[in-house]
């Protein structure tokens, strides 16, 4: 039996140590917000945070996350930066099919937490691991810039 | 408004344009003319399985608390139709959008009309039926209120979720009226009063967001991949690496020893043409997806590769290039293109061959289906574009009637044409059959599966040759396509493109040229060739639009002006006179080829890009345009190419004329997304074959456009919002002009012609 810290809660699973976190989340814990897109850390759809840093859950085995705080898309509503980013995603009508957007948001949240006023280049560098086949990149950029602006205003109050 | 199901009513368009008559002149030249025909041919929506339904009792129900539930019968794969069509109903019935709940329909074309989300037809075919649904519901609510008050119907008016008695101001909410309204007779379609455009609240107003938008951002939206049921098991399939290959031997001992693996199930391969049948192979069933994948990796497999085992895309390109040089099957002929070419001096001849490789759809969600079989019935949960095809495939597989198979349609993480084929649902049914009754199984395609076993976009060599006289007039035009046909899915050995493929921007070009010949070469398919967002428009428009730029350059003229002159003045052309008797199944009378609208999108894109301005060194503008799926699109791309040949797309101007603009915000989204998909196929994407096998397997070798390569600026120009026009498609039309516009921009920037895709770098 393995204990995990997911979104501030202790969860227990009974699966082999080498099972990637992606499938632990989706199949064992029923948390389907984190998506399967490639299985090889090439597309970013499976992005979660481990101790605040973005990781690709599809190639991160269970053994690597034991004892580490994991946050998933399901927790972003309870996170200040997450809320601002989600709201910017809504206001800019970013999504088309939406399948990649959880991963995009997780990466964007981490970007804004580590780089509150990102340049265009920094946005590109941070986001280029997240593929969108529908082509929502221009709106993702706009939403990140809007969220950065709102967070900057908020921090001045 | 909950009442017993009424028989659905269908309208039938009376086509008045007649049949194609072929007449052969003394020189053996084939020309076409129209002749009268009985006015009973079904076009467009009426020619699709299921037709259309406009019965309000099918699509609308109102609860006592006033909640209006509207059925979305078309699957959602990112175009927004799950929102847009219910929005149309809500507008016509004067429902407040915030009081509306949308429910997704199960597969049932007899009840809802056609449900196959492909061909850019959802708004095109269902705008008017959904307007009629909303208007009928509004009439019934007004009739119920009038009856309740014993006043004339003319004195009441529905507005914003209530009906008002105008003389006295009395009002009743929709919730209070619901039961009475449902008992009203459904008005006959000819008595319906549709709203005047000035009265639209939501149609064309960008007031409505996607119904799933917030759920998507929270990770709560449910896709086919997210289906979960108690006791559900998971399956992945090892498939023959070559299309048409067969399993020779499988050793499953190691696979069955993997913890979590439950059993293996053989899936039979197909005989004859592949159609939508499973490829065959061995499924590994396990307690979770990971164990199923591990189990599959442990299978020891031997395959007989079958007839396509030697398919090599490099060698096949040579086959296509040779076929493109020899006379092919004539699809359209006017004048004497071959003779004019023969007689023309070398200086007046322009010739070019273009190569467009196989492409994979690569939706972010790979194909997936969940099936659960009970005695005498089956239940399916999947993300498919064509729910009825999935229902039929599962019913046939399980020897049930379609009515015994319930197909629930979840959100699709992209489709682009892949998920209208129900092969993966059929696979899930086969595996479910091998399990204890009532055990649900989710059959998952990995990314590798998706890339290796896609219904690929075809591969093409497009040959173009033209004579341009010294005054810059194009005297003759020959376009020959060498490309395996989609028809090879259904007829073994079918060779060469069919009419419907040629009629996607090969035959149906409207240019003012006296001598025109369009041909297809007979070449065989060695892969499963399917429909990829905008289909044969991709290679045909790539070649033709690049070629027009080459002709303009040869004539020493500005490309935009040359193209406008070639198109000629604004006029409506009967597509039949261009040899196009397909016209996307639409009535040629209702949907003529309107060159004025084509000119309009070219002007909009060019104005947006400030065509003709002076550009920095290394920058260039390129133009291309296309008529597809009843809409007109144009793209102008600004490219910057550095000294190393590295390409940067600086900006794209996308223009569309799709007639009435129902959800402009979603139209802009499709223009943006289509631009990025067009740039993807131009710059990065290619599927190749060696020894019958697809070489690529994931996003490291099948590359698609990422953030950093995507243009910073995409300007969208929505042209000619005209509700007097019948609607055109939006999902596919943005794609075809983008790759040729890019390559024309590269030429403008560097003087180098790109005739082969993808162009990763300028040599």
């Amino acid at each position: 039996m393995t204990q995990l810290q997911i979104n501030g809660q202790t969860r227990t699973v009974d699966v082999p140590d080498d099972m990637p976190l992606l499938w632990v989340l989706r199949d064992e814990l029923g948390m389907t917000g984190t998506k399967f897109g490639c299985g090889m850390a090439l597309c970013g759809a499976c992005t979660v945070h481990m101790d605040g840093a973005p990781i690709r859950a599809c190639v991160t085995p269970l053994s690597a996350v034991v004892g580490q705080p994991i946050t998933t898309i399901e927790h972003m509503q309870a996170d200040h930066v997450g809320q601002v980013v989600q709201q910017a995603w809504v206001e800019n009508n970013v999504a088309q099919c939406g399948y990649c957007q959880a991963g995009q948001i997780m990466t964007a949240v981490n970007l804004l937490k580590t780089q509150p006023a990102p340049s265009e280049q920094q946005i590109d560098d941070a986001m280029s691991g997240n593929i969108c086949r529908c082509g929502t990149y221009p709106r993702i950029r706009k939403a990140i810039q809007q969220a950065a602006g709102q967070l900057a205003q908020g921090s001045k109050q | 408004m909950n009442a017993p199901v009424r028989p659905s009513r269908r309208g039938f368009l009376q086509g008045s344009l007649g049949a194609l008559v072929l007449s052969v002149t003394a020189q053996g030249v084939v020309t076409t003319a129209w002749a009268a025909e009985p006015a009973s041919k079904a076009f467009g929506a009426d020619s699709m399985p299921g037709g259309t339904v406009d019965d309000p009792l099918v699509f609308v129900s109102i609860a006592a608390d006033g909640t209006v539930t509207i059925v979305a019968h078309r699957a959602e794969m990112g175009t927004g139709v799950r929102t847009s069509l219910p929005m149309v109903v809500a507008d016509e019935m004067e429902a407040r959008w915030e009081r509306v709940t949308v429910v997704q329909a199960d597969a049932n074309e007899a009840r809802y009309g056609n449900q196959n989300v492909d061909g850019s037809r959802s708004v095109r075919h269902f705008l008017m039926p959904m307007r009629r649904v909303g208007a009928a519901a509004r009439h019934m609510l007004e009739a119920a209120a009038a009856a309740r008050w014993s006043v004339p119907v003319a004195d009441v008016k529905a507005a914003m979720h209530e009906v008002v008695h105008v003389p006295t101001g009395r009002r009743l909410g929709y919730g209070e009226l619901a039961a009475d309204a449902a008992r009203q007779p459904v008005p006959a379609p000819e008595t319906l009063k549709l709203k005047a455009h000035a009265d639209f609240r939501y149609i064309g107003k960008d007031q409505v967001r996607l119904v799933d938008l917030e759920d998507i951002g929270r990770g709560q939206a449910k896709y086919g991949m997210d289906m979960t049921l108690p006791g559900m098991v998971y399956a992945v399939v090892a498939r023959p690496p070559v299309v048409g290959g067969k399993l020779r031997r499988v050793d499953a001992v190691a696979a069955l020893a993997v913890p979590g693996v439950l059993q293996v199930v053989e899936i039979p391969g197909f005989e004859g043409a592949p159609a939508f049948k499973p490829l065959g192979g061995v499924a590994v069933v396990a307690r979770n997806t990971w164990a199923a994948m591990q189990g599959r990796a442990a299978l020891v497999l031997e395959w007989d590769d079958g007839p396509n085992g030697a398919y090599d895309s490099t060698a096949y390109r040579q086959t296509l290039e040779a076929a493109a040089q020899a006379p092919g099957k004539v699809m359209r002929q006017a004048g004497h293109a071959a003779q004019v070419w023969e007689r023309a001096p070398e200086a007046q001849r322009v010739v070019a061959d273009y190569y467009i490789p196989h492409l994979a759809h690569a939706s972010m969600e790979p194909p997936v289906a969940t099936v659960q079989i009970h005695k005498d019935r089956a239940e399916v949960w999947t993300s498919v574009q064509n729910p009825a095809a999935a229902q039929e495939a599962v019913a046939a597989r399980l020897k049930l009637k379609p009515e015994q198979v319930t197909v629930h349609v979840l959100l699709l993480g992209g489709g682009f044409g892949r998920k209208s084929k129900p092969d993966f649902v059929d696979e899930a049914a086969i595996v479910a059959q091998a399990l204890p009754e009532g055990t649900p199984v989710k059959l998952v395609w990995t990314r590798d599966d998706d890339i290796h076993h896609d219904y690929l976009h075809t591969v093409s060599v497009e040959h173009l040759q033209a004579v341009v006289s010294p005054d810059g007039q194009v005297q003759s035009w020959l376009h020959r396509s060498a490309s395996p046909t989609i028809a090879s899915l259904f007829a073994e050995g079918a060779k060469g493109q069919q009419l419907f493929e040629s009629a996607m921007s090969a035959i149906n070009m409207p240019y003012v040229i006296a001598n025109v010949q369009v041909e297809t070469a007979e070449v065989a398919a060695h892969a499963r060739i399917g429909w990829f967002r905008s289909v044969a428009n991709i290679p045909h428009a790539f070649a033709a639009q690049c070629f027009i730029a080459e002709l303009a350059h040869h004539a020493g003229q500005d490309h935009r002006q040359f193209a406008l002159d070639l198109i000629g003045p604004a006029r409506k052309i009967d597509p039949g006179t261009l040899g196009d008797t397909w016209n996307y199944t639409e009535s040629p009378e209702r949907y003529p080829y309107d060159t004025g609208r084509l000119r309009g999108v070219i002007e909009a894109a060019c104005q947006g890009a400030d065509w003709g301005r002076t550009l920095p060194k290394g920058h260039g503008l390129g133009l291309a345009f296309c008529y597809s799926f009843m809409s007109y699109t144009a793209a102008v791309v600004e490219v910057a190419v550095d000294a190393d040949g590295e390409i940067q797309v600086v900006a794209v101007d996308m223009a569309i004329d799709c007639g009435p603009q129902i959800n402009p915000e979603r139209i802009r989204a499709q223009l943006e997304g289509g631009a990025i998909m067009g740039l993807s196929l131009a710059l990065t994407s290619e599927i190749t074959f060696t020894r019958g096998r697809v070489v690529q397997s994931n996003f490291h070798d099948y590359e698609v456009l990422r953030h950093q390569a995507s243009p910073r600026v995409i300007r969208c120009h929505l042209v000619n919002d005209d509700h007097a026009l019948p609607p055109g498609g939006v999902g596919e039309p943005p794609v075809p002009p983008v790759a040729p516009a890019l390559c024309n921009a590269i030429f403008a920037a560097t003087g180098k012609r790109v005739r082969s895709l993808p162009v990763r770098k300028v040599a």
Side-chain angles (χ1 to χ4, degrees), chain B residues 275-590:
Chain B
F276 303 145
K277 300 174 223 160
L279 288 168
V282 180
V284 176
V285 184
R287 296 197 188 288
N288 56 68
T289 318
W290 178 246
M293 291 178 182
Q294 299 291 88
R296 178 174 70 174
L299 288 172
V300 179
L301 298 153
E302 284 173 27
W303 306 99
D304 285 321
D305 283 347
N308 297 310
Y311 187 40
D312 179 286
S313 45
T314 308
Y316 193 68
R317 180 171 179 169
Q318 292 170 356
T319 303
L320 293 178
E321 284 166 348
Q325 307 313 312
K329 178 176 167 201
V330 175
M331 306 297 277
R332 174 184 171 191
Q333 190 172 53
H336 312 276
Q339 280 126 304
V340 172
W341 174 266
E342 292 305 317
R343 291 183 202 138
E346 187 59 41
Q348 294 181 20
R349 293 176 170 186
V350 186
V351 61
D353 291 284
Y354 301 88
Y355 178 73
I356 304 93
H358 284 298
L359 299 168
H361 299 81
S363 320
M364 288 315 296
E365 179 201 41
V368 55
T370 302
V371 174
Q372 183 179 34
I373 304 176
H374 303 278
K375 192 173 180 357
D376 295 338
R377 66 182 179 90
E379 218 167 341
V380 179
W381 297 261
T382 184
S383 34
V384 284
Q385 292 172 235
N386 188 343
Q391 185 183 38
E392 283 157 21
V394 172
R397 178 64 58 188
L398 303 180
K399 299 194 177 18
L400 295 171
K401 301 199 193 77
E403 310 82 83
Q404 293 172 289
V405 177
T406 304
V407 176
H408 306 291
V409 181
L410 286 80
L411 293 175
L412 285 71
F416 311 121
R418 167 60 180 101
K419 295 175 184 174
S420 54
K421 298 102 171 107
D423 58 307
F424 54 97
V425 189
D426 197 359
E427 288 176 337
I430 291 169
V431 174
Q433 260 183 324
L435 302 172
E437 184 185 308
T439 308
V441 57
K442 181 195 291 186
L443 190 142
V444 174
W445 283 47
T446 64
R447 180 59 58 194
D448 296 42
D449 297 339
D450 180 55
I451 303 287
H452 283 146
H453 303 297
D454 195 15
Y455 280 83
L456 296 168
H457 175 70
T458 192
V459 54
S460 308
V461 169
E462 305 287 328
H463 174 82
L464 278 134
Q465 60 188 58
V467 171
V468 185
S469 46
D471 61 352
Q473 298 297 309
V474 180
Q475 300 297 337
S476 79
W477 168 288
L478 183 141
H479 182 168
R480 184 182 299 127
S481 303
S483 186
T485 173
I486 291 171
S488 63
L489 283 183
F490 307 108
E492 228 181 334
K495 291 188 173 128
Q497 289 190 324
Q498 307 292 299
L499 173 64
F500 77 95
E501 290 158 307
S502 282
M504 297 196 215
S505 298
I507 300 179
N508 60 330
M509 52 76 152
Y511 310 126
V512 180
I513 304 172
N515 303 283
V516 170
Q517 188 140 326
V518 179
E519 297 179 7
T520 60
E522 299 215 322
V523 288
H526 299 287
R528 295 191 301 184
I529 309 292
W531 288 260
F532 176 108
R533 192 179 184 185
S534 79
V535 201
N537 287 291
I538 291 174
H540 295 157
F542 178 69
Q545 291 298 308
C546 287
F547 193 61
I548 289 172
E550 298 203 35
L551 297 180
H553 181 72
H554 181 90
Q557 293 183 24
D558 168 70
H559 174 207
R560 170 191 156 275
Q561 191 56 54
F562 183 88
L564 290 171
D565 291 343
L566 196 61
I567 290 167
R571 62 203 185 284
K572 295 185 178 59
I573 303 175
D574 175 350
T577 63
L578 305 177
D580 178 10
T581 53
W582 180 59
N583 200 35
Y584 297 87
T585 78
E586 298 290 355
S587 152
E589 200 176 52
R590 199 154 172 257

Side-chain angles (χ1 to χ4, degrees), chain A residues 20 26-27 33 35 37-38 42 86 90 93 95-99 104 124 127-128 133-134 137 139 141, chain B residues 209 217-219 222-223 225-226 289-290 360-362 364 447 665-666 669 672-673 698 705-708 712:
Chain A
R26 292 183 57 83
D27 293 352
K35 301 302 187 202
C38 72
L42 295 164
Q86 284 173 329
V90 167
N93 293 297
Q96 289 183 30
C97 89
Y99 191 80
Q104 304 275 2
D124 278 352
M127 300 302 297
S128 282
R133 197 67 172 122
C134 295
Y137 300 129
R139 297 192 186 205
R141 273 205 199 97
Chain B
R209 300 197 195 276
R218 296 188 187 134
K222 288 283 176 264
Y223 297 85
M225 190 62 74
D226 302 327
T289 318
W290 178 246
H361 299 81
M364 288 315 296
R447 180 59 58 194
E665 202 282 318
R666 286 296 99 188
E672 292 162 9
N698 211 308
L705 218 70
R706 291 174 180 270
H707 275 272
Q708 80 273 29
R712 296 228 184 284

Side-chain angles (χ1 to χ4, degrees), chain B residues 198-239:
Chain B
D199 297 333
F200 287 151
R201 298 190 196 275
Y202 303 120
I203 294 172
K205 303 289 188 204
D206 284 347
Q207 291 295 307
V208 164
R209 300 197 195 276
L210 290 181
V211 296
D212 302 295
L213 193 60
E214 292 195 12
D215 281 347
I216 287 168
R218 296 188 187 134
Q220 284 160 6
K222 288 283 176 264
Y223 297 85
M225 190 62 74
D226 302 327
M227 190 59 209
T228 312
L229 288 163
M232 188 172 79
V233 296
Y234 301 76
V236 295
V237 180
R239 295 178 186 81

Side-chain angles (χ1 to χ4, degrees), chain B residues 8-16 39-54 73-74 109 112-115 121-129 132 189 584-587 590-591:
Chain B
S8 59
R9 288 136 354 100
R10 282 153 171 71
F12 286 98
L13 284 171
Q14 296 295 308
S16 59
S40 60
K41 183 173 158 67
F43 287 109
D46 299 315
S47 68
M48 296 290 150
T52 65
V53 170
D54 54 14
H73 72 296
R74 310 277 293 175
E109 287 188 334
Y112 299 110
N114 184 267
Q115 294 178 280
R121 297 185 288 109
S122 289
V123 171
R124 170 156 64 109
H125 285 177
F126 291 95
L127 172 63
M128 295 314 293
R132 287 193 288 272
Y584 297 87
T585 78
E586 298 290 355
S587 152
R590 199 154 172 257
Y591 287 99

Side-chain angles (χ1 to χ4, degrees), chain B residues 129-187:
Chain B
M130 291 301 108
R131 288 191 67 185
R132 287 193 288 272
V133 163
R138 188 177 80 242
H139 281 284
M140 292 161 79
L141 285 157
E142 288 174 344
R148 184 86 67 89
W149 290 318
S150 301
V151 300
V153 157
D155 286 355
V156 308
K157 188 171 160 57
M160 295 301 270
H161 232 78
E162 55 186 15
V163 180
V164 181
H165 180 231
V166 177
T168 63
R170 283 180 285 179
R171 53 198 66 223
L172 284 164
Y174 282 5
E176 297 172 84
L177 289 166
D180 285 353
R183 286 191 284 268
Q184 296 295 319
V186 176

Side-chain angles (χ1 to χ4, degrees), chain B residues 574-637:
Chain B
D574 175 350
T577 63
L578 305 177
D580 178 10
T581 53
W582 180 59
N583 200 35
Y584 297 87
T585 78
E586 298 290 355
S587 152
E589 200 176 52
R590 199 154 172 257
Y591 287 99
Y593 193 134
D594 189 333
T595 57
R597 295 173 71 188
L598 187 63
R599 295 175 66 98
V601 292
I602 291 169
E603 295 291 40
C606 285
Q607 278 164 27
D610 196 8
W611 184 271
R613 67 185 154 101
T614 311
L615 291 155
K617 182 166 152 51
H619 286 233
L621 290 182
L623 163 70
F625 44 90
C626 188
Y627 170 63
S628 68
F629 304 94
M630 325 330 287
S631 290
Y632 303 81
T633 45
V636 173
V637 171

